C-alpha cells in the first residue's frame, strides 16, 4: 500500500477519545505494533510527542511508523480481547511476544457412555465427559492412559455399546487380558462401571489403594511360584509409583492454580509456570518471551498473561504472580469472563505461598542463565565459525556462503546441488537443485560449469527484471548472491567457478574444500594457496558440515530422480545398446570408467555384442 498520502500530524487530530485498538504500519505496510487504549487520542499521540521520555526501542519503532489505523470498541475489555486476537494473528515485531506456541493435553473420560472410554484429548470441550488436566507432557498423558488400561481393563475401541454387542470378534486387547470385552457382553455394565470408578479415583490422585492391591498380588504370585505374573505386577507397581511421584502435594487445599514468576535480561525474559491441580503440582513449564518495547516487568507480565491464557482452554481459579501485572483490573475481568467464574489474581506476601512463587522465580532465572550459555555456544558454532573461516582467507563481512556439488553414480546422468549457509546455519529455503541438461555423460567439471552458469545467469536476469518493475531485488529467488562460494574440490573446481564468474562479470571470492587421500577434509584452497585448518576448530567443523550437506543434498536429489525412473544410464544414449547389452557391459567391465577405457577388441568380447554395437560404444566415448 502507498503510505505517501498519510499525514501523521493531521490523522492524530482525528483520533477519538474512546477505547479501542491501534495498529502501527511501516513503509512496507507491515503491522509492526498493536496496542490498546482507554483513550485512543491520548495514547497514540504520546508516541509522537518529543517531550515524552521514550526508550530507545520505542524511538526505533516510532521512526519506522509510516501510518497507523485504529478500531473503536465499546469498552476497554473489548479492546483487550481484540488486541489479543490481532497480536496472535500478525505477531508484530515490536510487541512483547510469547515465543512458545504450546498446547496442553487432557485425559478425557466419556462418563456419559454406558461403557466409558479413557482418551487423550488436545482440548476441553463442553460435552458430558469428565476431563483431567491440562498436563504439561503429552508423553506422560499417554503413559498414564496406557497404565490405566492395564490396571482396570478399560476398552480402547470406538464401538457403539451396547448397540454393537456381538457384531464383531473381540480385539487383541481381550486376548492379552487388557480388556474384558464389553463388545461381546462378557462384562456387565455395573461391573465395568466399578472399574471406571476406580480409574477416576486413580486420576484424582488416590494411589494408595492401587499400590497396596498390586503389592499384595505381586507377593501372592511370588508365593505361588508364578514369577512371570509377579514381574508383571512389579512393573505395574513401578509405573504407578512413577505417576504418583510426579504429583507433588503443595497444599492441603483442593484449588486449581497457576504459579507464575519471571526472570529477565535486556532482550528476553523467561516465565516459569507451575501447574497446581487439586492441591497437587502436576507439572511445570517455562516460556521464552521477547521483551521488544516493554518498559517494565509489569508490562511484560501483563503481555504474557494475555497471550498465554488466550491460547489455553483452561483458566484456573487462582493465579499467583511475583508482582502485580499492568492492567490488573481489566485482566481480572477478562480472565473471569473466559473461565465463567471469578479468577483471583494474587501476589503472595508470606509463608508457603510466597516460597512457591520464589521457587518458580529461581527456576526461571536458572533457565535464563542456561539459555545464555547455550546461545554463546551456538554463536561460537555458527557466527564464530564463519568469522574463523573468513579470517583464514583474509575476508571480512562473510554472512552468506553457497556450496555446490555434483552427483552421478555408475553412469546415471548428473545432477547438481546448491546449498546455502547464513551466519553459520543452513538456510534450506534457498537450497536449489539442478538436473544437468547441457552435458552428456559423467563429466563433473562441465556439469559444474553448467550449474554455476545457470545459477548466476538466472540471478542476474531476475534482478534486471525486478529492477525494471520497480520491485526490491532481494525478493527474487536467485537474486541474493553469496559473499563466498565454496566448491567441493580443489584447484580444478575453483578455476571452473572463477571462469564462470569472470564471463558474467561478477566478483565473488571462491575457495575449494580440499580432501586428503582418505576423503577427509584437509584444508581450503584459496587464491592458488592451500590453507591448512586446525581439525579441532569450530571453523573446520563448519566446513565439514557444509561439505557433507552439499553432498547429501545432491545424492538425495539423484536418488529421488532414479526412484521415479527419470534418470537412466549413459549407455542408454548409445545406438544399438538396449537393456540386455547394457547389463552385459556392466557385468563384463564393472564400471562406466572401465567401459570408456576399453578397446574395440575388448568390447567385442562382451557376451551379446556384435561388431556394430561394439563400434557404437567405442565411438561414443572416443
Amino acid at each position: 500500500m502507498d503510505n505517501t498520502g498519510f499525514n501523521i500530524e493531521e490523522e492524530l487530530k482525528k483520533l477519538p477519545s474512546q477505547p479501542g485498538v491501534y495498529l502501527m504500519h511501516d513503509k512496507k505496510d507491515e503491522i509492526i505494533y498493536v496496542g490498546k487504549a482507554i483513550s485512543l487520542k491520548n495514547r497514540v499521540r504520546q508516541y509522537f510527542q518529543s517531550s515524552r521520555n521514550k526508550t530507545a526501542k520505542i524511538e526505533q519503532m516510532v521512526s519506522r511508523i509510516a501510518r497507523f489505523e485504529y478500531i473503536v470498541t465499546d469498552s476497554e475489555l473489548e479492546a483487550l480481547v481484540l488486541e489479543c486476537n490481532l497480536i496472535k494473528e500478525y505477531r508484530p515485531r515490536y510487541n512483547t511476544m510469547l515465543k512458545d506456541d504450546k498446547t496442553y493435553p487432557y485425559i478425557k473420560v466419556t462418563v456419559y457412555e454406558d461403557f466409558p472410554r479413557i482418551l487423550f484429548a488436545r482440548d476441553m470441550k463442553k460435552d458430558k465427559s469428565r476431563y483431567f488436566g491440562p498436563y504439561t507432557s503429552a508423553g506422560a498423558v499417554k503413559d498414564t492412559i496406557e497404565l490405566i488400561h492395564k490396571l482396570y481393563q478399560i476398552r480402547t475401541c470406538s464401538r457403539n455399546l451396547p448397540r454393537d454387542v456381538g457384531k464383531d470378534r473381540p480385539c487383541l486387547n481381550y486376548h492379552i487380558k487388557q480388556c474384558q470385552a464389553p463388545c461381546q457382553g462378557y462384562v456387565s455394565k455395573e461391573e465395568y462401571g466399578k472399574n471406571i470408578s476406580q480409574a477416576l479415583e486413580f486420576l484424582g490422585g488416590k494411589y494408595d489403594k492401587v499400590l497396596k492391591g498390586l503389592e499384595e498380588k505381586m507377593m501372592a504370585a511370588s508365593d505361588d511360584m508364578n514369577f512371570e505374573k509377579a514381574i508383571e505386577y512389579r512393573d505395574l507397581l513401578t509405573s504407578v509409583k512413577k505417576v504418583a511421584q510426579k504429583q507433588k502435594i503443595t497444599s492441603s487445599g483442593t484449588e486449581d492454580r497457576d504459579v507464575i514468576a519471571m526472570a529477565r535480561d535486556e532482550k528476553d525474559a523467561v516465565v516459569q509456570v507451575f501447574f497446581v491441580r487439586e492441591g497437587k503440582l502436576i507439572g511445570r513449564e517455562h516460556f521464552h518471551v521477547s521483551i521488544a518495547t516493554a518498559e517494565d516487568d509489569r508490562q511484560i507480565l501483563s503481555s504474557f498473561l494475555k497471550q498465554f491464557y488466550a491460547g489455553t482452554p483452561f483458566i484456573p481459579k487462582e493465579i499467583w504472580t511475583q508482582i502485580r501485572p499492568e492492567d490488573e483490573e481489566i485482566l481480572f475481568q477478562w480472565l473471569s469472563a473466559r473461565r465463567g467464574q471469578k479468577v483471583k489474581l494474587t501476589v503472595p506476601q508470606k509463608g508457603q505461598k510466597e516460597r512457591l512463587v520464589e521457587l518458580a522465580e529461581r527456576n526461571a532465572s536458572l533457565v535464563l542463565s542456561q539459555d545464555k550459555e547455550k546461545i554463546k555456544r551456538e554463536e561460537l558454532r555458527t557466527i564464530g565459525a564463519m568469522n574463523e573461516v573468513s579470517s583464514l582467507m583474509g575476508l571480512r563481512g562473510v554472512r552468506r556462503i553457497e556450496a555446490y556439488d555434483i552427483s552421478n553414480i555408475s553412469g546415471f546422468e548428473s545432477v547438481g546441488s546448491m546449498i546455502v549457509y547464513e551466519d553459520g546455519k543452513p538456510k534450506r529455503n534457498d537450497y536449489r537443485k539442478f538436473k544437468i541438461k547441457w552435458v552428456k555423460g559423467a563429466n563433473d567439471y562441465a556439469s559444474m560449469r553448467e550449474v554455476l552458469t545457470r545459477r548466476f545467469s538466472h540471478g542476474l536476469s531476475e534482478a534486471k527484471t525486478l529492477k525494471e518493475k520497480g520491485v526490491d531485488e532481494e525478493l527474487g529467488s536467485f537474486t541474493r548472491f553469496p559473499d563466498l562460494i565454496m566448491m567441493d574440490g580443489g584447484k580444478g573446481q575453483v578455476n571452473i567457478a572463477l571462469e564462470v564468474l569472470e564471463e558474467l562479470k561478477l566478483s565473488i571470492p571462491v575457495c575449494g574444500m580440499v580432501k586428503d587421500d582418505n576423503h577427509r577434509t584437509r584444508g581450503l584452497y584459496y587464491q592458488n594457496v592451500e590453507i591448512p585448518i586446525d581439525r579441532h576448530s569450530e571453523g573446520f567443523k563448519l566446513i565439514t558440515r557444509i561439505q557433507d550437506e552439499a553432498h547429501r543434498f545432491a545424492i538425495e536429489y539423484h536418488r529421488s530422480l532414479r526412484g521415479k525412473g527419470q534418470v537412466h544410464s549413459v549407455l542408454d544414449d548409445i545406438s544399438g545398446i538396449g537393456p540386455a547389452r547394457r547389463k552385459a557391459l556392466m557385468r563384463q567391465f564393472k564400471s562406466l570408467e572401465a567401459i570408456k577405457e576399453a578397446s574395440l577388441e575388448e568390447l567385442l568380447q562382451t557376451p551379446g555384442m556384435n561388431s556394430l554395437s561394439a563400434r557404437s560404444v567405442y565411438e561414443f566415448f572416443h
Side-chain angles (χ1 to χ4, degrees):
M1 180 176 173
D2 184 9
N3 297 316
T4 52
F6 191 89
N7 187 316
I8 288 178
E9 289 298 324
E10 288 300 314
E11 295 300 324
L12 286 172
K13 294 174 185 175
K14 300 175 188 176
L15 285 164
S17 300
Q18 292 173 259
V21 173
Y22 55 91
L23 300 90
M24 304 298 195
H25 294 250
D26 65 9
K27 64 181 181 181
K28 293 181 180 177
D29 211 41
E30 288 181 14
I31 294 171
I32 58 173
Y33 188 79
V34 173
K36 68 167 182 62
I38 301 175
S39 167
L40 286 165
K41 186 172 187 175
N42 294 343
R43 184 72 184 106
V44 177
R45 288 175 69 177
Q46 283 178 348
Y47 288 102
F48 302 96
Q49 290 172 354
S50 56
S51 59
R52 186 170 183 260
N53 294 323
K54 295 190 281 286
T55 64
K57 286 181 179 177
I58 290 180
E59 289 280 11
Q60 185 187 56
M61 182 193 79
V62 172
S63 70
R64 291 173 179 263
I65 297 172
R67 73 178 185 96
F68 61 80
E69 60 179 317
Y70 56 86
I71 303 166
V72 175
T73 59
D74 288 334
S75 66
E76 192 183 359
L77 180 59
E78 277 187 27
L80 183 144
V81 173
L82 181 58
E83 178 196 33
C84 285
N85 292 336
L86 291 172
I87 288 172
K88 188 175 181 179
E89 181 178 355
Y90 294 110
R91 299 191 68 82
R93 64 178 297 182
Y94 286 104
N95 278 92
T96 296
M97 291 301 302
L98 177 59
K99 294 180 182 179
D100 311 81
D101 189 16
K102 299 174 182 175
T103 58
Y104 299 94
Y106 295 81
I107 292 175
K108 174 181 178 178
V109 186
T110 59
V111 291
Y112 59 89
E113 293 180 327
D114 287 338
F115 294 89
R117 293 166 294 153
I118 296 177
L119 307 169
F120 179 97
R122 274 290 172 197
D123 50 20
M124 186 166 60
K125 295 177 181 176
K126 291 184 178 179
D127 55 18
K128 295 176 184 177
S129 298
R130 186 167 171 190
Y131 288 86
F132 292 85
Y135 297 92
T136 55
S137 167
V141 169
K142 288 171 184 174
D143 289 345
T144 302
I145 292 172
E146 186 181 344
L147 176 61
I148 289 170
H149 285 146
K150 287 178 181 177
L151 287 171
Y152 304 111
Q153 299 186 10
I154 307 300
R155 72 184 180 109
T156 59
C157 66
S158 57
R159 294 171 186 172
N160 188 333
L161 301 181
R163 189 192 71 187
D164 295 339
V165 168
K167 284 189 178 180
D168 290 301
R169 288 179 298 176
C171 67
L172 177 64
N173 284 346
Y174 168 72
H175 296 291
I176 62 173
K177 295 182 171 55
Q178 287 190 19
C179 179
Q180 292 176 306
C183 60
Q184 303 301 308
Y186 294 168
V187 60
S188 68
K189 179 180 173 181
E190 291 71 29
E191 191 64 32
Y192 188 89
K194 288 178 185 176
N195 291 350
I196 286 291
S197 296
Q198 288 179 318
L200 290 171
E201 284 185 5
F202 181 88
L203 288 168
K206 296 177 181 176
Y207 307 115
D208 293 344
K209 192 191 294 184
V210 183
L211 290 167
K212 187 179 178 183
L214 286 172
E215 200 160 338
E216 287 173 356
K217 288 177 181 178
M218 181 181 70
M219 297 308 294
S222 180
D223 291 342
D224 293 342
M225 308 290 279
N226 189 348
F227 297 118
E228 277 190 28
K229 202 69 181 171
I231 289 169
E232 190 180 313
Y233 287 130
R234 184 201 65 190
D235 291 344
L236 283 172
L237 195 63
T238 304
S239 297
V240 173
K241 285 178 178 176
K242 191 176 176 183
V243 170
Q245 284 168 0
K246 286 180 181 176
Q247 300 196 351
K248 178 184 174 185
I249 302 294
T250 61
S251 71
S252 57
T254 58
E255 299 293 352
D256 294 337
R257 69 179 62 89
D258 288 348
V259 180
I260 299 174
M262 176 184 69
R264 62 169 289 193
D265 57 18
E266 300 77 28
K267 294 180 181 179
D268 297 291
V270 170
V271 179
Q272 182 81 44
V273 183
F274 287 168
F275 301 96
V276 179
R277 301 293 178 261
E278 296 183 358
K280 294 178 285 291
L281 178 62
I282 66 164
R284 63 181 185 177
E285 193 68 83
H286 65 266
F287 299 85
H288 294 271
V289 179
S290 62
I291 291 175
T293 54
E295 294 174 9
D296 58 35
D297 291 355
R298 295 180 70 235
Q299 283 187 1
I300 297 167
L301 180 60
S302 180
S303 294
F304 171 79
L305 292 173
K306 285 185 277 187
Q307 290 174 57
F308 176 66
Y309 288 113
T312 179
F314 183 81
I315 312 290
K317 191 171 183 179
E318 292 184 10
I319 298 171
W320 296 353
T321 58
Q322 77 206 99
I323 55 170
R324 297 201 175 279
E326 188 183 60
D327 302 324
E328 183 182 3
E329 183 57 37
I330 201 72
L331 273 171
F332 161 73
Q333 292 177 35
W334 174 65
L335 289 166
S336 299
R338 288 213 68 217
R339 178 178 164 82
Q341 290 178 305
K342 280 190 176 181
V343 175
K344 193 176 179 182
L345 286 168
T346 306
V347 180
Q349 300 294 328
K350 60 183 179 179
Q352 186 183 5
K353 294 180 179 181
E354 187 184 21
R355 286 196 294 275
L356 197 57
V357 174
E358 286 174 354
L359 181 62
E361 187 177 355
R362 285 203 299 274
N363 273 267
S365 297
L366 184 63
V367 172
L368 188 64
S369 63
Q370 287 173 343
D371 282 354
K372 280 184 179 178
E373 289 301 315
K374 186 179 176 183
I375 288 165
K376 282 180 186 175
R377 289 196 300 272
E378 182 64 14
E379 284 181 351
L380 272 176
R381 203 178 77 90
T382 54
I383 296 171
M386 286 280 274
N387 292 338
E388 192 180 317
V389 171
S390 306
S391 63
L392 284 169
M393 293 175 282
L395 299 172
R396 297 181 65 185
V398 174
R399 290 195 58 212
R400 182 184 175 97
I401 288 176
E402 287 181 7
Y404 296 84
D405 194 19
I406 301 294
S407 174
N408 48 68
I409 304 169
S410 299
F412 286 110
E413 66 182 348
S414 301
V415 297
S417 72
M418 167 187 131
I419 67 151
V420 179
Y421 268 62
E422 274 194 8
D423 294 327
K425 298 176 185 177
K427 193 177 183 187
R428 293 188 172 86
N429 286 345
D430 286 6
Y431 284 17
R432 292 293 180 269
K433 304 168 182 174
F434 300 86
K435 189 176 178 184
I436 304 303
K437 300 174 182 177
W438 309 341
V439 180
K440 293 293 181 185
N443 186 330
D444 283 3
Y445 285 168
S447 297
M448 186 59 78
R449 180 185 292 278
E450 178 186 332
V451 168
L452 293 168
T453 302
R454 282 167 58 189
R455 183 266 179 269
F456 289 105
S457 296
H458 190 162
L460 290 168
S461 173
E462 192 174 46
K464 184 181 178 183
T465 303
L466 291 173
K467 191 174 182 180
E468 288 170 355
K469 291 180 179 178
V471 179
D472 189 347
E473 290 177 31
E474 291 286 307
L475 297 175
S477 60
F478 270 101
T479 52
R480 281 209 65 190
F481 286 177
D483 303 311
L484 175 66
I485 295 171
M486 301 188 92
M487 308 301 296
D488 187 30
K491 186 175 181 180
Q493 292 280 23
V494 170
N495 287 340
I496 290 289
L498 290 171
E499 286 170 17
V500 171
L501 293 172
E502 189 176 352
E503 287 167 12
L504 296 173
K505 296 182 172 57
L506 292 171
S507 178
I508 301 171
V510 182
C511 74
M513 297 177 282
V514 186
K515 293 180 180 177
D516 60 21
D517 295 337
N518 296 316
H519 212 65
R520 292 179 302 190
T521 306
R522 184 177 72 203
L524 293 175
Y525 180 82
Y526 181 64
Q527 293 183 338
N528 296 316
V529 176
E530 186 175 320
I531 305 167
I533 311 174
D534 177 5
R535 296 181 66 87
H536 302 289
S537 69
E538 290 296 340
F540 178 84
K541 291 173 188 173
L542 175 64
I543 292 165
T544 304
R545 287 197 297 273
I546 291 172
Q547 202 166 30
D548 290 345
E549 180 71 350
H551 188 59
R552 178 202 65 79
F553 192 56
I555 291 289
E556 192 178 84
Y557 178 43
H558 198 279
R559 191 179 291 127
S560 72
L561 288 179
R562 278 187 291 150
K564 296 171 186 173
Q566 292 175 320
V567 180
H568 59 266
S569 170
V570 171
L571 299 174
D572 290 336
D573 295 330
I574 305 173
S575 176
I577 301 299
R581 282 177 175 155
R582 183 187 71 206
K583 287 177 185 175
L585 283 165
M586 291 305 292
R587 274 197 298 268
Q588 181 83 0
F589 294 97
K590 308 301 182 190
S591 72
L592 185 65
E593 290 301 316
I595 296 170
K596 284 181 184 179
E597 293 169 6
S599 66
L600 186 58
E601 291 73 23
E602 288 171 328
L603 291 167
L604 269 168
Q605 291 171 16
T606 306
M609 294 289 283
N610 57 33
S611 58
L612 189 63
S613 56
R615 185 166 292 282
S616 290
V617 174
Y618 184 80
E619 289 179 353
F620 182 85
F621 289 115
H622 294 86

